[in-house]
DNA sequence: ATATATGCAAAACTTTTGCATACAA
DNA sequence: TTGTATGCAAAAGTTTTGCATATAT
């Protein structure tokens, strides 16, 4: 299943604050998209989103809503070399996590790896020292075979 | 500059083996693309490739060559949420590395982080244990500000 | 000689945009 | 009320494909 714990009230407030900061109104379409994102445990593509929110929101609006939410830093855009983009909640509104991309069936699942973050934080500092690049955030994706595909 | 050490003879042999295995001939266009990839120290987009190999190879051929080389496992396809794909040599033909993506200027640089790989290898095993996902490879990208953009 | 690759043009797919209308604050 | 969002249709950008010709082995 693709459900998660309900988002905290704080997260909702923070989303409202970011929308307001970006001068964006909380419309029906935006609310649908945000709810879909909050209840998904994996990044969603536009076609996937459309099956969730229904055709009452036309494609062009979906794209415009998504673009706006990325501008407002509510969502982030991800690409997994599939030829189209996926989107998920900004990590500050959710749990920082990484992705398990199944190269058999194309599924994308979230995974949390708390201990790794300590190491990655140290890496961030060594990158700054070695090449002068100031890391703001990182993305770690694992590619391989998911449990379902292994059993099939 | 965007140059690297010359590839080893072994790497060349391995490329030839992979092309042959995929039933692909070593044509002029393919040779140009492979050379461009070998001399680049960052993943290349199709337009970038075109400026390197010149217009003697038309766009559609470039796309077909690239697709073939990905099939033959000579190249891998990457996407950095830019709206188009980038390509680089398969890690078995090069040095395993990660990417530094500058969110100011859009540059993408390679970085090698040998010590991290040990930790990531352990992570791979814990993922298998925890969720049954068999990791084959991973991708780690850092996003932030490159040295040039910091100084500007 | 023969299967594979190329070049051109046309098409497919994802994403963006112009403009008139509808809606949230 | 007023600025922002929506819906539709048209367009733009990236990538793929059909088909006749050319090329590598």
């Amino acid at each position: 299943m693709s459900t998660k714990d309900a988002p905290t009230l704080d997260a909702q407030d923070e989303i409202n604050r970011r929308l307001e900061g970006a001068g964006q109104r909380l419309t029906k379409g935006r609310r649908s998209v945000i709810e879909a994102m909050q209840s998904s445990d994996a990044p969603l593509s536009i076609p996937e989103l459309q099956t969730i929110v229904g055709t009452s929101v036309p494609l062009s609006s979906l794209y415009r809503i998504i673009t706006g939410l990325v501008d407002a830093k509510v969502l982030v855009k991800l690409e997994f070399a599939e030829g189209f983009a996926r989107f998920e909640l900004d990590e500050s509104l959710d749990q920082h996590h990484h992705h398990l991309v199944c190269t058999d069936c194309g599924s994308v699942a979230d995974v949390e790896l708390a201990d790794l973050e300590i190491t990655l934080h140290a890496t961030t500092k060594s990158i700054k020292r070695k090449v002068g690049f100031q890391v703001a955030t990182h993305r770690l994706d694992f590619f391989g075979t998911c449990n379902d595909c292994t059993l099939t």
Side-chain angles (χ1 to χ4, degrees), chain A:
Chain A
M1 263 293 287
S2 291
T3 35
K4 285 201 310 187
D5 295 348
T8 64
L9 293 179
D10 288 352
Q12 296 292 2
D13 280 357
E14 179 58 23
I15 289 174
N16 291 337
R17 228 172 291 134
R18 292 187 194 189
L19 288 178
E20 198 181 332
Q24 291 182 19
R25 295 166 180 178
L26 189 51
T27 62
K28 215 170 82 173
R30 268 205 264 264
R31 195 155 23 220
S32 304
V33 168
I34 292 172
E35 280 169 14
M37 288 298 182
Q38 287 179 324
S39 58
S40 173
D41 63 359
L44 297 174
S45 66
I46 295 287
E48 286 169 352
L49 249 180
Q50 197 163 42
T51 68
I52 299 174
V53 305
T55 48
S56 66
V57 180
L59 244 198
S60 65
S61 301
L62 215 41
Y63 274 105
R64 247 188 299 227
I65 288 170
I66 287 286
T67 305
L69 292 177
V70 171
D71 283 352
K73 298 200 188 308
V74 172
L75 302 181
V76 292
K77 179 180 182 180
L78 307 174
E79 293 187 7
F80 293 92
E82 299 169 295
F84 52 83
R86 290 179 178 274
F87 301 86
E88 67 179 14
L89 284 178
D90 184 84
E91 64 180 4
S92 59
L93 297 169
D94 200 355
Q95 200 70 39
H96 178 72
H97 60 262
H98 302 108
H99 300 111
L100 303 178
V101 183
C102 179
T103 48
D104 270 37
C105 68
S107 70
V108 180
D110 288 356
V111 63
E112 284 172 33
L113 300 166
D115 352 341
L116 236 190
E117 297 310 318
I118 300 165
T119 308
L120 287 173
H121 185 249
T123 303
T124 288
K125 289 195 287 189
S126 88
I127 288 173
K128 176 67 182 168
R129 194 169 357 98
K130 287 202 311 199
V131 293
F133 186 101
Q134 179 63 58
V135 172
T137 184
H138 65 262
R139 240 190 83 188
L140 174 58
D141 302 327
F142 296 93
F143 297 84
T145 313
C146 73
N147 203 22
D148 286 359
C149 287
T150 300
L151 301 174
T152 310

